[in-house]
Amino acid sequence: MIFLAKTKERFVCQQCGYESLSFLGRCPGCGSWNSLVAETVTLEGISRPAGLKAPPALLAGITDIAGERLVSSLSEWDRVLGGGLVPGSLILVGGAPGIGKSTLLLQVAHRLTARYGKILYVSGEESPGQVRLRAQRLGALTGEIYLLAETDVEAILAGIEGLGPVAVIVDSIQTMFLPAIQAAPGSVSQVRECAARFLRLAKDGGPAVILVGHVTKEGFLAGPRVLEHLVDTVLYLEGERYQAYRILRAAKNRFGSTNEIGIFEMVTGGLKEVANPSEMLLAERPAGVAGSSVVACLEGTRPLLLEIQALVSPTTFGNPRRLATGVDFNRALLLTAVLEKRAGLHLGGYDVYLNVAGGIAINEPAADLAICLAIASGLKDRPVEAETLVLGEVGLAGEVRAVSQIERRIEEAARLGFRRFLIPAGNKCRLIGRNDYEIYDVRSVVEALELGLTA
Ligand code: TYD
Ligand code: MG
């Protein structure tokens, strides 16, 4: 005879969700210390779906939902999602506390309700009065946004059934709980089970569900990380709390690209879309200063002009320091070595600090040549020629390799007044008929340094 345990006691890592039957000082899953916490789950209360809901269906016979995306016309939000919210999808919006998640989602709710009807906003953190105050500030009081100040997931699901909204916003998943689970709200068991309930709601022909998750600066407080596998789309809202710009980034997206970013500015009326991000990112660029170059990177479908800054100063003590913000550290070391060996720059006695202005991280090799030029310019104290855009991947032999979609990058730069372009020789053939631009095709880093730096 088999006895089934009615309760399950285990120790769960609050960082990564690793489960153990005994207490461990160090989590074998993620290596963090003292992160395992005892959690008890009563299995009785957790209902599991019984049997087959529908027979297997022919894939080609399933209704196409591509045209049914909920478009908010908050274009930065729509683009990051891949063209709008997919009905029946589960989305996680993560970000540090106070970054603007509630503000963004209330604005999205307001845009959606104007077109699609009922939206339910579940607030587990703020009182209805506080949410109203924010909505008033955002001018989002019109339309059919319903508010539910509740944290019991069973009650919320009952409320959703009665209302029938097209989308539900749950702010935040860390405050939600299922009475059947005897762990505190915000613990891994609670967060995971609550999210699983919302997943089932969304996938069974229910509304699109947007979950808000708090993420701390240091790492991940219980929740968001263990949810990433469960949800369709993970968006992160990033930025410095005391600076106005916010970047919405997709870390996972089953319905679109993960390279796409949306840029917003926090103003008194909420988050405002930044229509011309390149302009904004280059606005404060000092003119004629050594150690700065501009590159056009592709972030998803959109080219972005980014300024790469390099500070090269003599090492005063011990080993030379290398520091990179916004550029992959190992890539920066590699490019420094290429400059030493292939271009004969003596960087061994200098500290090199690299930075991408605007807090954006570059993850394409197309920025290699611009990084090299910024470092060389910083070392030689010779500024890069004015209004020059630098493109190209750099190989270990010091050769410059072709980059993708060069026309679109050049167009974006030309729109902002760039007329001089250093591009890989391999790309030349595809740019016939642009006589008004000064285009230099380069084969090697050495050639680029000769053409790109002022005398
Ligand atoms: P909030 O959306 O509450 O952050 P989160 O939900 O991520 O914790 O945003 C709070 C911050 O946004 C707060 O510091 C004030 C600022 N804010 C504005 O600057 N303008 C506005 O119109 C609103 C509503 C908020
Ligand atoms: Mg909030």
Side-chain angles (χ1 to χ4, degrees), residues 96-103 134 137-138 214 266-270:
I99 202 77
K101 300 179 294 297
S102 306
T103 306
R134 179 182 294 116
R137 195 172 164 189
L138 298 173
H214 290 298
M266 183 63 97
V267 294
T268 43

Side-chain angles (χ1 to χ4, degrees), residues 192-206:
R192 195 159 40 195
E193 287 300 329
C194 291
R197 285 300 176 89
F198 286 115
L199 177 73
R200 219 177 300 152
L201 167 79
K203 299 296 165 192
D204 288 350

Side-chain angles (χ1 to χ4, degrees), residues 86-172:
V86 174
S89 62
L90 184 64
I91 292 179
L92 175 68
V93 178
I99 202 77
K101 300 179 294 297
S102 306
T103 306
L104 174 66
L105 292 175
L106 204 53
Q107 284 179 274
V108 168
H110 180 237
R111 299 290 186 102
L112 287 177
T113 188
R115 285 193 181 188
Y116 303 102
K118 292 175 190 164
I119 309 283
L120 179 64
Y121 191 100
V122 182
S123 176
E125 294 187 348
E126 292 160 310
S127 68
Q130 286 171 315
V131 180
R132 196 203 136 96
L133 206 64
R134 179 182 294 116
Q136 211 163 350
R137 195 172 164 189
L138 298 173
L141 275 180
T142 53
E144 288 185 276
I145 302 179
Y146 287 83
L147 190 72
L148 189 60
E150 177 62 76
T151 53
D152 180 344
V153 174
E154 301 285 3
I156 293 167
L157 292 177
I160 292 170
E161 204 167 322
L163 185 69
V166 289
V168 177
I169 294 162
V170 180
D171 189 0
S172 67

Side-chain angles (χ1 to χ4, degrees), residues 343 373 376 380 382 385 420 422 440 442 444-455:
L373 227 69
K380 299 182 178 201
R382 283 162 54 191
E385 292 269 5
R420 224 169 158 271
L422 290 192
Y440 299 92
V442 292
S444 68
V445 175
V446 178
E447 217 177 301
L449 297 189
E450 274 165 22
L451 285 166
L453 301 182
T454 49

